[in-house]
Structure formats: C-alpha cells, structure tokens
Amino acid sequence: MSVPLPALERLEARSTEIGGGILIRRALPNRRRRTVGAWCFLDHAGPIEFDAGGGMHVGPHPHIGLQTFTWLIEGEVVHRDSLGNEQLITPGQVNLMTAGSGITHAEDSAPGSGGRLHAAQLWIALPEHERRRAPAFRNYPHLPLIERGGFSVRVLAGSACGETSPAQVYSPLIGLDVASTGRAALELPLETAFEHAALVLAGTASVAGETLTPGTLLYLGTGRETIALRTDAAARVLLIGGTPFGEEILVWWNFVARTRAEIAAATSDWNAGRYFGPVHGSPAPRLIAPDAAGLNLRPEPAAP
Ligand code: MN
C-alpha cells in the first residue's frame, strides 16, 4: 500500500522593487511558508531589458547567518565584498557568498552588460553550528549539466542523477535549473527526506500535474520519490529542496539570526559603521538598515 503524496500548495510570490527600480517577484519568505529546506529567501528578477544607463544597483549592505546564492540566466553583474573580492558573474554561473559571522557586499549590473537581467537570488540559512563561521565568497563557473527527456538539468546545488554541484553548502539541500527548448518530459528522481518546491522562471511548465507560470511557487512537501516535469514549448523551472530546516530562524532585513537581540545588535553595528567591513568600488550608496524598533513586525528583507 502506498503512502499518499503530500498536498500541493500554490504560493503566490509578491512583487517588490530592488535597487535601481528593478521589479522582482519574491517567492520566499512567503506568508504561508518561510523555508524550503534551508532555502529561506527566493527572488526572481526579470527577464527585463533596461533603459539606456539603467540596471540593477544594490549598494553596500551587510549579511549575517546565511549564504547568498545567485543564479544568473541573462545579463552580467559585478559582485564586490568586504573581503576584497570583485567578481563578474555571467550567465550559467553561480555566485555563492557565505556571510557567516558577517560580510558586506554590493551588486551592480556590469557597465555595457547588454541592458538585460534575468536571475534568481536565494538565501540559505546556516545551521546553528555553522552560522558564525568565517565569511567567504566563491564564483562557480562550471556546474554539472544533465540532458534528459528533452530537458537540460543544471545542478546548481546538491546532487541529482549522479552529478554533484561543487557549490559549498552546509546542510542537505538541492537546487536545480531545469530548462527545455520545446516539448519535453521527465520523471526526475527526488530525495524522499527532502521537502521540495518549484518556481517557473520562464514559459509554462507542468510540475507534478500542476500548470505553472512565473510568479507561483509550488510547494511539494516531503516524501516524493520522483517529480513529473513536462513542457510543450521553451520553459525553465527552478527546483529547490532540502531537509526541513529544524531550527526557528528570524529573518529580518538582510540578517538571519535566532534572537531579536542578535538582529538589533547587527542593525545598530551596521548603521553606526561598526563591525562590518567596507566595500570599495560600488557606484551605489551604502544601504541603511530600517529601525530595529520594528523588529516585532518582522519586516521583509529589503535587498538581495
Ligand atoms: Mn545581499
């Protein structure tokens, strides 16, 4: 006798703006679901075409307790951080920044980057025993690619179909970009202990029998052995998952912590110019953290 599959939840992303007036869809945190595995934030930016001289400009801002995970589909973005890294990310690459005990970074569309941007930026909550680790940054230009059923499956994080992403993460999780150029069908094996969710980044796809377009996160629960993906035309699906994150986290502005006191300390340190290092070379102004007196209101993160 088989165990019934978990119910599907369709979660609507919210539209909001990031630096430079770029409209994004924020799928996580969601009012009804704050995490999928350790994934605790998911912004889908674009695809958009900038006006002349436009682009994304997110000025220097701090992070603690998380990793930022950027998957670039179109455009070119320069990452700068307080460790002194300056890294151009181009399509097909992942930038993974481990904030740990604290880091500052800025992200700007590269000058002359063709006026386009299409990207997903995610955050990964660090588990208790890793969340104060030393900050680090890495660009991953080469990620495993699996061709199956008419889909190109890029392994962004974790393992799938025997291939493992080199991206350094600190809890069991998965991130896949599944793209088709036309009619395609695939029954993709899943880790049954993971919970999963899917977000269409382009086109229309059938995921576990649900028709999805950009702007809706489909939560798939735990206990699935496979997932059915199908497209009739070019489409792109982001699949994320992981072991349900067993820790209560507090996500506030650009910080992931456990207590309000930690958030308040990080906020006042940042706004006073203490603790967090500077970023050099970013054309955009330093961001100011909102007043930590609003902590009990649990404001949404403001920057990617
Ligand atoms: Mn950021």
Side-chain angles (χ1 to χ4, degrees):
M1 203 175 81
S2 66
V3 177
L5 288 175
L8 299 168
E9 291 174 25
R10 296 179 73 102
L11 306 172
E12 297 311 308
R14 293 176 304 105
S15 292
T16 186
E17 261 186 30
I18 60 167
I22 307 298
L23 203 64
I24 58 97
R25 300 181 185 89
R26 183 157 296 158
L28 285 176
N30 189 282
R31 194 169 48 81
R32 288 166 56 201
R33 191 160 291 282
R34 315 219 41 107
T35 52
V36 176
W39 301 102
C40 62
F41 180 94
L42 169 51
D43 269 2
H44 178 203
I48 52 168
E49 186 127 21
F50 305 133
D51 296 335
M56 179 183 73
H57 293 287
V58 181
H61 61 278
H63 288 286
I64 59 168
L66 58 90
Q67 294 178 289
T68 63
F69 190 103
T70 304
W71 166 234
L72 195 68
I73 300 157
E74 285 183 87
E76 292 189 340
V77 175
V78 180
H79 159 98
R80 295 179 179 89
D81 66 43
S82 51
L83 301 175
N85 295 297
E86 179 168 331
Q87 176 71 50
L88 178 72
I89 180 172
T90 59
Q93 301 185 350
V94 161
N95 270 0
L96 180 57
M97 183 180 78
T98 303
S101 59
I103 195 168
T104 311
H105 77 148
E107 291 163 297
D108 297 281
S109 293
S113 60
R116 288 189 63 84
L117 178 69
H118 191 196
Q121 193 182 62
L122 303 101
W123 295 354
I124 304 168
L126 289 168
E128 177 61 33
H129 60 284
E130 301 285 0
R131 70 189 182 99
R132 295 178 185 87
R133 64 181 301 111
F137 171 81
R138 246 187 99 176
N139 171 260
Y140 293 96
H142 305 295
L143 299 155
L145 184 65
I146 301 150
E147 301 287 351
R148 195 169 285 193
F151 284 104
S152 298
V153 181
R154 184 76 68 176
V155 186
L156 308 180
S159 299
C161 306
E163 299 283 345
T164 298
S165 164
Q168 174 77 58
V169 296
Y170 297 95
S171 59
L173 54 78
I174 192 170
L176 301 177
D177 178 275
V178 187
S180 73
T181 55
R183 197 172 287 274
L186 172 62
E187 193 83 16
L188 189 70
L190 297 179
E191 181 63 57
T192 53
F194 284 7
E195 57 182 346
H196 292 90
L199 183 72
V200 167
L201 300 178
T204 301
S206 164
V207 180
E210 290 283 310
T211 301
L212 279 187
T213 53
T216 302
L217 183 73
L218 183 68
Y219 178 73
L220 297 151
T222 57
R224 289 176 190 272
E225 291 178 357
T226 63
I227 184 145
L229 298 161
R230 198 166 45 73
T231 63
D232 293 327
R236 183 182 294 277
V237 181
L238 179 68
L239 184 75
I240 59 173
T243 305
F245 201 70
E247 302 172 36
E248 271 297 310
I249 58 170
L250 201 51
V251 180
W252 193 83
W253 196 48
N254 293 301
F255 305 131
V256 173
R258 300 295 183 277
T259 67
R260 291 175 185 186
E262 289 173 330
I263 299 276
T267 298
S268 59
D269 281 346
W270 170 255
N271 282 346
R274 292 188 301 260
Y275 184 74
F276 297 96
V279 172
H280 300 290
S282 168
R286 189 179 187 279
L287 305 187
I288 305 297
D291 188 348
L295 269 180
N296 53 350
L297 300 175
R298 212 174 192 170
E300 292 300 336

